Amino acid sequence: MEKKDIKLTRPDAIIFDMDGTLFKTETLLIPVFHQVFARLREEGLYNEETPPEELILGSLGMLLPEIWRRVIPNHGEEVHRRADELLLELELEGLKGQVTELYPDVPETLEALRSRGVKLFVASNGLEHYVKGVADTHRILPLFEGLYSAGQYETETKVDLVRLLLDHHGVSKAWMVGDRSSDVEAGKQNGQIVIGCAYAGFGDGQELAGADILIHRFDELLQLFDEAEEQ
């Protein structure tokens, strides 16, 4: 755990990113990524080699249009939108049929935080059915007050998505927990504490530079909460 010199008080709510924070995304995404491009080739929409896996993993946290512009920049909107459809279809199939993983101690830590009276939320730039599907498959869905996704609310940035969540639930004091710069930005621009998850390793070294605290295991959150001052 790495802390800046800040006074930490207990939040009313904790908001989690999904991919690279709660969910070990590569356990689902890598096989699905290859399936998407196999299908695109079958449909005559793509005739090249599958892009490197590192491209999609390095794009996690972005909105889907940004991801495809980065992964297959030489193809247009028709291919990008079909890739959207295939990604969701194959991810939902994969959640039912593949062995996928949360990070260690995620369910237990979430349960412990909830038992302490803190409200838990998810804010993800992913698609609605994917985000809810991951939570449902891994039996953590009932632990959350709400799951907010860019796919459901059609927000342009995670800053907007988190602001919407805070407004909907009347939350003024929250911790934003995530592994990407978009999570740092979403927390900071909404005036909240940001806890960066340094265990996924999808981004570069500067990805979490603006976070108030870095954790290297998910269960360190519980220690942070217990040591924080009462409001």
Side-chain angles (χ1 to χ4, degrees), residues 75-87:
H75 291 74
E77 284 297 306
E78 180 191 2
V79 178
H80 291 179
R81 296 295 72 78
R82 182 58 180 147
D84 282 350
E85 294 168 357
L86 288 170
L87 185 68

Side-chain angles (χ1 to χ4, degrees), residues 8-106:
L8 205 57
T9 56
R10 290 187 182 177
D12 300 317
I14 301 180
I15 304 167
F16 298 93
D17 175 45
M18 178 62 83
D19 292 319
T21 300
L22 301 175
F23 184 48
K24 203 169 184 181
T25 314
E26 65 271 30
T27 60
L28 174 65
L29 185 58
I30 293 303
V32 164
F33 181 64
H34 289 281
Q35 291 165 20
V36 166
F37 282 92
R39 288 278 294 275
L40 288 174
R41 281 190 287 267
E42 286 172 14
E43 295 175 10
L45 293 171
Y46 188 84
N47 57 11
E48 301 172 27
E49 292 292 318
T50 299
E53 295 168 357
E54 293 74 20
L55 269 180
I56 190 83
L57 291 175
S59 303
L60 289 174
M62 298 178 182
L63 296 166
L64 275 174
E66 297 175 89
I67 289 175
W68 297 125
R69 283 196 293 268
R70 186 171 186 231
V71 174
I72 39 175
N74 298 324
H75 291 74
E77 284 297 306
E78 180 191 2
V79 178
H80 291 179
R81 296 295 72 78
R82 182 58 180 147
D84 282 350
E85 294 168 357
L86 288 170
L87 185 68
L88 179 59
E89 174 191 327
L90 293 165
E91 281 178 333
L92 294 179
E93 286 179 9
L95 284 169
K96 293 176 183 175
Q98 292 173 209
V99 177
T100 60
E101 301 174 29
L102 300 176
Y103 284 99
D105 302 311
V106 164

Side-chain angles (χ1 to χ4, degrees), residues 209-220:
D212 297 297
I213 298 166
L214 291 182
I215 59 173
H216 297 278
R217 298 191 326 271
F218 189 79
D219 62 357
E220 289 177 339

